[in-house]
Amino acid sequence: MTALLISNILLWCLLIALALVVFGLIRQIGVLHARIAPAGALMVDKGVAVNQPAPQVTAEDLLGRPVNFGYANDRTQLLFFLSPTCPICKSLLPALRAIDKARDDLEVVYISDGEPEQQRKLIKEFGLEGARYVVSPQVGMTYQIGKLPYAVMIDRQGLLKAKGLVNSREHLDSLFETEHLGAATLQEYLNKPSPSMHTPS
């Protein structure tokens, strides 16, 4: 009886110790998660630099409407370069639609190239019938887009404010952050040295 009681006490002690260890690990994971900065969209160093005038080009969307890129506009433009055969591109389309509907000061323009039939299937699948959807290799070449999905932010004055590969919703959101922060990428902003503190003499 005494041996059974002792063994139960030891088991409970071990269980409590294990619970404390697990709690400590969970706490450390939380601390590490808080310290890790968001990656942000990866900017491929090609084409026009951020905060410079965006290349000017005009193309028609699939509804025959002219779309001007890089010109002064009454709304900020978000250019999203995609392909109907790109799974990651497709995964971001619902988020882009939501952003487009939520912001009156933003115009989302979808830009692709390739077979028109594939484009129409994609448009129908994701409900993009009324969206600005441009099928033109010229726009991609003008902005030197080499990888997909890629996004470019152009402000109302026609300045290129942010750009980069967007493989997730986090990357997409980081473009809006860098636009407000005035940095080329979120990484660049986070890596900027903090201003030194000057004490009055």
Side-chain angles (χ1 to χ4, degrees):
M1 184 70 179
T2 304
L4 180 62
L5 181 62
I6 293 172
S7 65
N8 282 336
I9 292 172
L10 289 174
L11 285 173
W12 275 107
C13 289
L14 287 172
L15 185 61
I16 292 169
L18 181 62
L20 289 173
V21 170
V22 171
F23 176 77
L25 288 172
I26 291 173
R27 188 173 181 277
Q28 284 301 112
I29 290 171
V31 170
L32 288 172
H33 186 269
R35 288 180 179 176
I36 295 173
L42 177 63
M43 186 176 69
V44 179
D45 193 16
K46 288 184 178 181
V48 176
V50 170
N51 292 323
Q52 296 298 314
Q56 294 182 340
V57 61
T58 300
E60 282 191 355
D61 68 9
L62 289 181
L63 297 178
R65 300 171 296 188
V67 183
N68 296 318
F69 304 98
Y71 295 89
N73 200 345
D74 58 350
R75 291 192 291 171
T76 296
Q77 281 185 322
L78 176 62
L79 315 184
F80 182 67
F81 294 86
L82 72 155
S83 168
T85 59
C86 169
I88 299 176
C89 301
K90 292 180 180 180
S91 70
L92 292 171
L93 290 178
L96 284 160
R97 282 190 61 201
I99 292 170
D100 196 15
K101 289 181 179 179
R103 290 189 52 171
D104 293 332
D105 62 335
L106 179 73
E107 177 186 41
V108 177
V109 184
Y110 305 88
I111 304 165
S112 184
D113 60 10
E115 293 295 326
E117 186 58 34
Q118 289 184 327
Q119 312 293 343
R120 293 189 186 94
K121 286 182 180 179
L122 181 72
I123 289 169
K124 184 176 181 181
E125 181 181 354
F126 290 94
L128 301 175
E129 287 85 358
R132 296 279 191 181
Y133 197 106
V134 175
V135 179
S136 169
Q138 180 189 0
V139 181
M141 288 188 291
T142 301
Y143 282 85
Q144 299 186 34
I145 306 303
K147 295 182 179 180
L148 299 174
Y150 202 91
V152 175
M153 182 87 69
I154 303 173
D155 72 5
R156 298 179 183 184
Q157 286 72 46
L159 295 179
L160 197 154
K161 300 302 293 183
K163 62 179 180 177
L165 288 168
V166 284
N167 292 323
S168 66
R169 175 62 189 262
E170 180 189 51
H171 291 170
L172 196 60
D173 291 339
S174 75
L175 292 178
F176 296 97
E177 291 298 323
T178 54
E179 179 196 14
H180 294 302
L181 296 171
T185 65
L186 198 56
Q187 295 97 327
E188 178 186 293
Y189 176 80
L190 293 170
N191 291 331
K192 279 183 179 179
S194 300
S196 56
M197 299 292 290
H198 298 284
T199 55
S201 54

